[in-house]
Amino acid sequence: MNVRSAVAFAVLCLSAVLVFRLQGTSAVTCDVTYLSPCMGAVIGGAPPIPECCQRLKEQQPCFCGYIKDPILAPYISSPNANKTLDACGVPHPRC
């Protein structure tokens, strides 16, 4: 992971304290900063850590909202994000 990507992701997380609408029947607060344990996997291609997989599963109802955000979409739809979902056993979003 290069410094520019890490800084961009950090800025993204800090500026994305956006709370998307709740989806599904459970009360999930959609906050992309909650996915920060996945940064190494999504940005750098490292294997996801267990905390990342747990949070991906919890944030699953939020994925379509994240994909619709033009700032988040490149990260959420990236090849590394897809590999991370696969490694964690999380289904790819169908929006």
Side-chain angles (χ1 to χ4, degrees), residues 1-12 39 43 75:
M1 165 174 53
N2 66 36
V3 174
R4 186 175 180 190
S5 293
V7 170
F9 187 79
V11 169
L12 170 72
M39 184 172 74
I43 300 289
Y75 295 99

Side-chain angles (χ1 to χ4, degrees), residues 56-80:
L56 283 172
K57 290 173 184 170
E58 293 169 1
Q59 289 284 296
Q60 202 171 342
C62 306
F63 291 165
C64 288
Y66 296 156
I67 289 170
K68 291 176 185 174
D69 184 306
I71 295 170
L72 300 177
Y75 295 99
I76 303 299
S77 303
S78 73
N80 282 341

Side-chain angles (χ1 to χ4, degrees), residues 4-74:
R4 186 175 180 190
S5 293
V7 170
F9 187 79
V11 169
L12 170 72
C13 288
L14 292 174
S15 66
V17 181
L18 307 169
V19 179
F20 293 94
R21 65 185 169 134
L22 298 179
Q23 299 178 0
T25 57
S26 63
V28 175
T29 299
C30 296
D31 183 349
V32 74
T33 62
Y34 194 66
L35 296 176
S36 63
C38 300
M39 184 172 74
V42 173
I43 300 289
I49 61 173
E51 186 178 5
C52 168
C53 293
Q54 175 188 351
R55 294 206 180 173
L56 283 172
K57 290 173 184 170
E58 293 169 1
Q59 289 284 296
Q60 202 171 342
C62 306
F63 291 165
C64 288
Y66 296 156
I67 289 170
K68 291 176 185 174
D69 184 306
I71 295 170
L72 300 177

